[in-house]
Amino acid sequence: MRLLGPFEVLGKEGQSITPRPAKMRTLLALLCAYAGTVVSTQQIEAALWVEGRPRTAATALHVYMSRVRKHLEGHGAGSVGISTRASGYVLNDGVYDLDHQSLRRLVQRADDAEAAGRTAEAVEILQRATALRRGPALADFRDVPVLNSVGRHLDEQFLLAYGRKAELELRLNRHARLVPELFAVATEYPTHEHIHQLLMLCLYRTGRTAEALSVYTRLREHLIEAVGLEPSARSQRLQQRILQFDTQLDEANALAS
């Protein structure tokens, strides 16, 4: 079950077995997003019928749930893993591989490796974690409020993991190789300050001072246009330090101050 991008269900051979009917996809995506937690009938109905619950919602939900179970059984699921509870339904933990859970586990492993001083190993683990992402999480459900909220939360988890990976690579003096991918992430998230700070630092360290300053200018323009705010004090300090050719920007903890 893949949520870190458009929702997708893969079979045992890696083939797509994503249900085609929209209501079935919505129902399964919601259960996956909250795997291990009971999703109430009210939450499910709100996701299935964004514009208002019909009188036949309870019966229709029962039908959709039955179809989802049959769909998974028909594609070889040994145990469907969807349990009925008094207040709703739950997708049991450990039945399916869920990419957003894999991301969290890998980030924890990376934290352990970093704490033990194994920086290169931590970077490798975080590379595997961030490679799980195929685009904005649950991109095809952004018109469903509850799944839009989940998708944005998962996007932020990706950005935190990616930002940590980039910080660790900077410790290993890999700033030159980071520039292209940081440009890509900064383009996708034009108001995300930490990503832009990392890009500015990498460009500065590779001798591309003018480009580093232009990144700050674009960040400022996007922030003012989007939310009417100036960049944070940290971003402003970084710009000033680049203008001053601060030699401490070459140190491992350059962004800490």
Side-chain angles (χ1 to χ4, degrees), residues 44-55:
I44 297 172
E45 290 177 352
L48 293 179
W49 294 284
V50 175
E51 297 181 357
R53 177 185 183 277
R55 288 183 298 174

Side-chain angles (χ1 to χ4, degrees), residues 86-187:
S87 59
Y89 299 89
V90 59
L91 183 71
N92 303 324
D93 268 334
V95 178
Y96 300 103
D97 291 327
L98 302 169
D99 60 355
H100 65 301
Q101 291 186 345
S102 296
L103 174 67
R104 295 190 195 106
R105 287 194 295 268
L106 287 168
V107 168
Q108 182 59 60
R109 285 182 54 193
D111 288 345
D112 294 342
E114 181 188 354
R118 303 192 302 273
T119 304
E121 180 184 339
V123 168
E124 188 275 331
I125 294 170
L126 288 171
Q127 285 174 334
R128 289 165 52 197
T130 54
L132 292 170
R133 182 181 187 264
R134 297 166 292 114
L138 294 170
D140 44 343
F141 288 108
R142 290 304 175 98
D143 58 339
V144 179
V146 64
L147 289 175
N148 177 51
S149 177
V150 171
R152 291 182 180 278
H153 175 68
L154 293 177
D155 284 345
E156 191 59 35
Q157 287 191 335
F158 159 76
L159 286 166
L160 287 171
Y162 179 80
R164 192 62 190 144
K165 179 189 81 74
E167 288 176 350
L168 294 178
E169 291 203 84
L170 281 170
R171 286 192 199 172
L172 300 173
N173 293 316
R174 298 177 181 175
H175 35 269
R177 63 184 280 183
L178 274 172
V179 169
E181 61 184 60
L182 276 168
F183 261 123
V185 178
T187 299

Side-chain angles (χ1 to χ4, degrees), residues 235-253:
S235 294
Q236 294 182 42
R237 281 198 302 272
L238 179 57
Q239 182 215 27
Q240 290 301 311
R241 293 173 71 187
I242 290 173
L243 284 167
Q244 296 164 5
F245 294 93
D246 187 343
T247 56
Q248 291 186 338
L249 289 177
D250 291 318
E251 297 180 1
N253 62 345

